[in-house]
Amino acid sequence: MDTSQAQLLGRWRAELQGRSAPVLLQLTPHPLLRESVHGTLQRDGSMVLLSGDVDQGQLTLEESTDGKHISANWLGTVQDGSCGKEIRGIWSSDTTPPISIPFVLRKQAPE
């Protein structure tokens, strides 16, 4: 199944291995790139910006803590049989040394 930009829109709950609290993401249509998304996530009391897309079931999201530089990446695969509502992959920071953590993203019902 090929997942589209429209299926990424909305609220997602991310569970990162080793973190007790989930991270909530909100994705909306990107204002300049038609097939892409942008949005925000809340982590440790801070707002982080997101931008990315999905292509042939592969998710790529870049996060930025300052709105200018990439601070981390989400690379994942839409899970077969999930109707585009579950994505599993690796979150990687651009720190020295880099950190890589497995994640599960699950689409949340609209409020």
Side-chain angles (χ1 to χ4, degrees), residues 4-18:
S4 69
Q5 176 253 25
Q7 289 171 291
L8 287 180
L9 302 178
R11 292 172 23 121
W12 292 80
R13 177 185 168 116
E15 296 172 8
L16 291 106
Q17 187 175 38

Side-chain angles (χ1 to χ4, degrees), residues 1-5 7 35 54-58 78 80 83-84:
M1 176 186 152
D2 195 20
T3 304
S4 69
Q5 176 253 25
Q7 289 171 291
E35 295 299 318
V54 64
D55 184 33
Q56 297 182 359
Q58 299 300 308
V78 176
D80 290 337
C83 298

Side-chain angles (χ1 to χ4, degrees), residues 8 11 29 31 38 43-44 75 81 85 93 101 103 107-108:
L8 287 180
R11 292 172 23 121
H38 78 147
R43 182 176 47 238
D44 302 327
L75 302 175
K85 294 182 179 181
S93 73
I101 302 171
F103 72 81
K107 183 85 177 259
Q108 302 297 288

Side-chain angles (χ1 to χ4, degrees), residues 29-49:
H30 195 287
L32 303 175
L33 304 171
R34 195 170 73 94
E35 295 299 318
S36 297
V37 295
H38 78 147
T40 58
L41 67 82
Q42 291 278 343
R43 182 176 47 238
D44 302 327
S46 297
M47 178 84 66
V48 178
L49 301 176

